[in-house]
Amino acid sequence: AIKPRWTEGFRERHGLSLRRISKKTLLSPEVISDRTQSFLAFIYYWTRGGRLPFDTIINFDEIPDSMSGKMSVSWTYDFQGTVKVVGRESSGDFKRSATFVAAIGVTKEADGSYTTLQIAPVVIHRTKNKARINEHTPEATAAGTLVLASETGVVTSRMMVDSIVPHILASQEKKRTLVILDSAKCHCTPAALASLRARGAVTAVVPGGLTPFVQFIDTHFAKVYRDERHQHYLSLAERPTTAISQRDFIVESTTRSYIALSARMAEARAVEHAFRKLGYIVPPPPTPYTPDIYDGFVFAVPPLPAQEAPQRPEPPPKPMQRSLLEMFGAMRARESQPAA
């Protein structure tokens, strides 16, 4: 085995630096601002303009899953004038063994308020022997979890058309539904988009590079879900060892963690609160429309004020592009200041 002391000496001698892989977009502030305004303008056009007031708003995305609920740690070795080399720490418990398709949304009530819409999860196992996939564990059966399988364990366009879209929109027949999804290739094929539209859904595709900023699953759900799954994994007295028992555990743990988390978010009205801040829910005129997409929070937020409580006056709206540029300028100014 290579000792850490030798590794440190090797890096010093050859001028290597160790850093984590960046998952943040490399777009300029101007491009981020333009794309954000274009995306929110599309939602504004369909909602506040009165063209089609939606009964339901849904966001769905895939979350890589493993036995532990956490993924392995990645980094890059940088060396001037050479190609970057990617390293990865992984074990059997941290390798991607499934994909969890999370779908969560809100439904508009008669009084104008919104309630959290919980949609049964989808789990896609990574396996070559599809015949040995157990249909469901008892807990997943009761929750309606959809279990699929593929050799890669990732979503395909065919899965979208045949299984995932019908599953997500099963309870939304004859309802006006806005589906917000990212620009992954499997989401945006003509067949997948046609399947969504055939069920009466309007699709709003998040522009490339904006998922860390305007997609609910990425900004408010994925990290908390992974923590929930990991705590369930750590609580096990005895961990599954066979492939079949591990697959059953992933389905059961995914279902339990998703239901528990979405229930707590519904109780705190966190989904409605997040959708308002991200600009998914547009208030009717003449309420000012000022989404605050960078003010992120975890699900444990206080409930929205009751209707009878006195409402604080809304701050005057400010141009989004100006606010974004000011924010990035302040960030760069802080980074350029010498350390104390």
Side-chain angles (χ1 to χ4, degrees):
I2 299 177
K3 296 182 178 180
R5 183 176 177 182
W6 181 91
T7 305
E8 292 297 323
F10 180 83
R11 286 170 50 199
E12 258 185 59
R13 290 193 300 273
H14 294 279
L16 292 169
S17 64
L18 182 63
R19 67 178 182 84
R20 293 286 179 90
I21 293 178
S22 174
K23 295 184 178 180
K24 295 292 183 183
T25 178
L26 300 179
L27 301 177
S28 67
E30 292 80 7
V31 174
I32 293 176
S33 177
D34 290 342
R35 292 188 180 183
T36 301
Q37 290 186 79
S38 175
F39 173 70
L40 295 179
F42 177 83
I43 297 177
Y44 180 94
Y45 170 75
W46 282 99
T47 53
R48 185 160 178 172
R51 181 180 177 89
L52 185 63
F54 295 105
D55 300 318
T56 304
I57 303 173
I58 298 173
N59 177 222
F60 79 88
D61 194 24
E62 298 83 29
I63 301 176
D65 217 336
S66 66
M67 263 290 294
S68 67
K70 297 282 189 178
M71 300 302 292
S72 58
V73 179
S74 301
W75 63 88
T76 59
Y77 289 99
D78 288 343
F79 185 67
Q80 188 174 4
T82 65
V83 178
K84 295 178 182 178
V85 179
V86 179
R88 183 178 294 274
E89 285 180 350
S90 63
S91 67
D93 291 344
F94 287 85
K95 291 180 180 177
R96 180 184 185 133
S97 51
T99 296
F100 165 45
V101 181
I104 195 164
V106 294
T107 299
K108 191 173 184 178
E109 302 297 333
D111 60 357
S113 63
Y114 289 86
T115 56
T116 301
L117 175 65
Q118 299 180 21
I119 301 171
V122 180
V123 178
I124 305 169
H125 286 298
R126 180 182 178 183
T127 178
K128 294 182 179 179
N129 193 347
K130 300 178 184 179
R132 295 188 63 184
I133 290 292
N134 291 354
E135 284 289 329
H136 297 289
T137 62
E139 188 169 353
T141 301
T145 301
L146 176 63
V147 181
L148 304 172
S150 72
E151 292 188 10
T152 58
V154 299
V155 178
T156 64
S157 177
R158 178 51 56 188
M159 279 186 186
M160 284 284 295
V161 175
D162 293 344
S163 304
I164 296 176
V165 170
H167 177 77
I168 291 175
L169 298 180
S171 62
Q172 305 306 311
E173 294 294 335
K174 298 181 180 180
K175 290 185 179 180
R176 295 163 296 190
T177 305
L178 173 66
V179 177
I180 299 171
L181 64 166
D182 62 27
S183 55
K185 186 177 179 180
C186 62
H187 297 167
C188 298
T189 61
L193 293 176
S195 178
L196 286 162
R197 291 166 185 159
R199 289 168 172 80
V202 173
T203 55
V205 179
V206 177
L210 292 192
T211 51
F213 305 116
V214 299
Q215 175 157 257
F216 168 79
I217 297 296
D218 287 275
T219 59
H220 296 85
F221 186 84
K223 181 183 183 303
V224 191
Y225 163 77
R226 286 196 176 102
D227 291 342
E228 186 89 15
R229 275 273 286 110
H230 193 57
Q231 290 304 314
H232 185 201
Y233 171 79
L234 295 177
S235 67
L236 293 177
E238 184 177 350
R239 292 170 185 171
T241 55
T242 66
I244 293 178
S245 62
Q246 288 178 356
R247 287 196 290 264
D248 287 346
F249 168 76
I250 289 174
V251 174
E252 178 187 352
S253 182
T254 297
T255 303
R256 180 182 302 179
S257 301
Y258 169 77
I259 291 176
L261 176 59
S262 57
R264 296 207 305 275
M265 296 181 82
E267 183 179 357
R269 299 179 67 184
V271 180
E272 176 190 353
H273 195 45
F275 277 24
R276 290 185 186 277
K277 298 182 82 65
L278 292 169
Y280 296 176
I281 297 176
V282 181
T287 308
Y289 175 57
T290 54
D292 188 5
I293 63 173
Y294 290 97
D295 187 11
F297 65 98
V298 183
F299 73 92
V301 295
L304 295 178
Q307 294 296 323
E308 61 273 14
Q311 299 292 326
R312 291 181 297 178
E314 290 280 349
K318 57 184 179 181
M320 179 167 291
Q321 184 159 351
R322 179 183 174 187
S323 65
L324 290 176
L325 292 176
E326 287 177 352
M327 184 196 69
F328 279 102
M331 290 172 56
R332 288 175 175 172
R334 288 196 298 270
E335 292 174 354
S336 61
Q337 291 177 354

